[in-house]
Amino acid sequence: QVQCINTACQAIVSRDALRSHVLQCEHTLMRCGLPSSHDPSDACQAQHMKPDRAEHRQQCGYVQVPCGDCGRMVSRNHADQHRKECLEAVLPCPKCGVNYKRGAGHECPEDAVLCDICGVRLLRKDVEAHDEAERGRHVKLMFGRLQKCERESEALKQHNAHLERRLLAAETVNKELEQK
């Protein structure tokens, strides 16, 4: 007969039963071992006696808790960081107050934007009214750009024709030299 190796335990068991007893003994220290959701190679190293397991788990940072936004299970000690990055998190826009999902993005009507046609700076919410009010001016600007593009296109066609004539002349000279 031998006494349990745990000093707080007063049990006396046979040598053959000692191993089995120690595995079941309430005074045996055990490692928590819960893995981190953030880094699977990381695990809780806290040690406690079996009766204290529930108390430890109530405060253990490695316990998995659901994200309130996406439902993914994350370690308690990484929940705040996950919340800052979660694409399903609903955020209020600081300018207009509209709620939107982080992963979906948000085009705030209060953001300043540039008109694609005339370059005027205005609020996104005013673009439609601006387009309506400046329609005539925008048409003239676009027509001017179109004319410029047509002129550039014509100049490129002429340059291309010139290069083709030079290439033809060079090929003719090359054939003449090959025949000599």
Side-chain angles (χ1 to χ4, degrees):
Q1 298 281 5
V2 292
Q3 185 173 350
C4 177
I5 59 172
N6 295 314
T7 54
C9 180
Q10 301 299 314
I12 296 179
V13 295
S14 69
R15 280 192 193 279
D16 294 340
L18 182 61
R19 179 181 163 100
S20 175
H21 168 78
V22 169
L23 290 173
Q24 302 296 320
C25 181
E26 290 186 353
H27 299 284
T28 299
L29 280 178
M30 49 191 314
R31 189 173 60 84
C32 174
L34 283 176
S36 169
S37 63
H38 187 69
D39 178 4
S41 67
D42 182 24
C44 180
Q45 299 299 313
Q47 291 188 335
H48 52 80
M49 290 186 217
K50 281 186 183 181
D52 300 330
R53 178 178 216 123
E55 182 182 333
H56 168 72
R57 292 284 168 94
Q58 287 178 348
Q59 55 189 322
C60 179
Y62 290 81
V63 167
Q64 304 284 302
V65 295
C67 169
D69 295 309
C70 69
R72 179 178 165 208
M73 298 301 285
V74 295
S75 297
R76 186 181 288 140
N77 56 4
H78 289 100
D80 288 341
Q81 182 63 34
H82 173 80
R83 172 86 169 116
K84 291 176 187 173
E85 300 168 352
C86 182
L87 297 179
E88 296 296 314
V90 177
L91 308 170
C93 175
K95 292 181 181 177
C96 70
V98 168
N99 289 331
Y100 66 97
K101 283 187 180 181
R102 177 181 282 123
H106 169 61
E107 289 190 348
C108 179
E110 300 295 328
D111 280 343
V113 295
L114 295 177
C115 174
D116 293 334
I117 300 170
C118 67
V120 168
R121 187 177 194 84
L122 64 152
L123 296 180
R124 181 175 277 118
K125 68 181 179 183
D126 298 331
V127 168
E128 195 173 315
H130 168 77
D131 286 345
E132 184 69 31
E134 298 294 327
R135 181 178 291 142
R137 181 170 163 240
H138 285 173
V139 167
K140 287 178 185 175
L141 286 169
M142 294 303 289
F143 185 70
R145 289 178 190 163
L146 177 62
Q147 287 178 322
K148 181 181 176 190
C149 287
E150 287 174 345
R151 286 190 302 272
E152 289 172 355
S153 176
E154 186 57 38
L156 287 172
K157 284 179 189 176
Q158 289 176 6
H159 184 67
N160 189 39
H162 171 73
L163 291 175
E164 286 178 354
R165 286 191 300 275
R166 289 186 64 189
L167 178 61
L168 183 59
E171 287 174 344
T172 303
V173 169
N174 190 34
K175 282 183 185 177
E176 290 173 0
L177 290 173
E178 284 178 353
Q179 291 176 354
K180 288 185 181 182

